[in-house]
Amino acid sequence: MSSKHEVRSPDEKENIRKRFLQVDTSNVADVLDGLGYLNQGLSSTFVPFPADTGKLAGWAYTIRGQMTPYPQGGDAEKMTACAGVSPGEVTVWSGDGEGICYFGELIAIGMKERGCVGALIDGGIRDVRWIAAQAFPLFARYRTPVQSIGRWKVNGWQVPVSVRGAASQWVEVHPGDFILGDEDGVIVIPAALVDQVLDEAEALTKKECVIREKLQQGLSLADALTQYGHV
């Protein structure tokens, strides 16, 4: 198991990210369960925008905000936070905003220019059609035309944040954790477990491929369960 604070080269991080793109969130969830991490799945209210946005996989870069009335003209803290994003990272947006947009087309363009590989938003987005044109993977809780300017303001970044969970009310996300999202939903892999979880998820994926092939060749489900166990 690697240290949570292990320093990886950009190439190492990208190799890990590409490997995660080849495994399913369901397998990752099973591996985490086996390690005793039972509450890493995120709420089913997180959905892809658009529906065919593609797989979300990257290192967490956290951004936090809150409902705060302020004059029109933009959120300087949001721009500063976004300027710190690095290649291979997924921006994770959290806060108490409801009914307003944290993230839109222009931020998606700016994120993509910096090498950001997607966004996870515990809140709202807008410009869905135009974000789709950017081929930028994005999972959020809702969409809304209402902007954040004057309503919701960034007050922290690269700090631990809480996002809504599936089996628990909240899941804590730390900078450098790994975010994986697909058709089944989104899961958070703690940084200290990334290598172990990836190795075990890859092994489970290979096992499932063998089982699928055997079933297609005529092996009964009962015999498959006897031979391979539950997966």
Side-chain angles (χ1 to χ4, degrees):
M1 185 184 303
S2 66
S3 165
K4 182 170 182 177
H5 301 291
E6 177 183 348
V7 177
R8 307 177 192 269
S9 72
D11 286 345
E12 288 172 331
K13 294 179 73 172
E14 182 60 13
N15 179 58
I16 289 171
R17 196 186 75 82
K18 288 181 176 178
R19 287 169 60 193
F20 265 115
L21 284 167
Q22 304 306 312
V23 300
D24 295 337
T25 56
S26 56
N27 284 342
V28 169
D30 290 353
V31 170
L32 285 166
D33 277 356
L35 295 174
Y37 288 77
L38 308 180
N39 299 313
Q40 297 304 120
L42 300 190
S43 170
S44 61
T45 56
F46 286 96
V47 295
F49 287 97
D52 61 352
T53 189
K55 202 160 189 175
L56 181 68
W59 305 88
Y61 180 100
T62 63
I63 299 174
R64 184 190 65 205
Q66 69 181 74
M67 296 300 287
T68 305
Y70 61 97
Q72 295 288 310
D75 182 348
E77 283 77 15
K78 178 187 278 191
M79 296 303 98
T80 300
C82 290
V85 178
S86 298
E89 291 182 327
V90 166
T91 51
V92 179
W93 299 72
S94 68
D96 64 353
E98 284 296 335
I100 53 92
C101 157
Y102 297 1
F103 192 101
E105 177 195 11
L106 295 183
I107 293 180
I109 292 172
M111 294 289 92
K112 193 173 179 181
E113 287 175 349
R114 297 193 62 81
C116 180
V117 291
L120 173 69
I121 298 137
D122 193 354
I125 64 163
R126 68 179 189 177
D127 306 325
V128 175
R129 177 175 22 136
W130 303 111
I131 290 174
Q134 297 298 322
F136 185 81
L138 189 154
F139 282 68
R141 285 198 297 113
Y142 59 86
R143 79 282 184 277
T144 173
V146 181
Q147 69 176 346
S148 63
I149 293 175
R151 300 180 175 92
W152 183 88
K153 193 171 181 61
V154 167
N155 62 9
W157 53 95
Q158 287 299 73
V159 295
V161 298
S162 294
V163 295
R164 286 162 177 80
S168 60
Q169 184 175 4
W170 300 100
V171 175
E172 194 166 83
V173 181
H174 293 257
D177 287 348
F178 198 90
I179 307 297
L180 186 67
D182 60 17
E183 298 89 345
D184 290 332
V186 186
I187 197 155
V188 179
I189 302 100
L193 300 176
V194 163
D195 294 299
Q196 183 177 3
V197 169
L198 179 55
D199 288 343
E200 293 189 22
E202 287 176 332
L204 183 54
T205 299
K206 290 179 181 178
K207 181 179 179 181
E208 286 190 343
C209 288
V210 170
I211 295 172
R212 289 190 189 101
E213 184 176 349
K214 294 294 185 181
L215 289 171
Q216 290 172 356
Q217 293 172 355
L219 183 70
S220 72
L221 178 59
D223 287 342
L225 291 174
T226 299
Q227 184 173 348
Y228 297 102
H230 288 273
V231 293

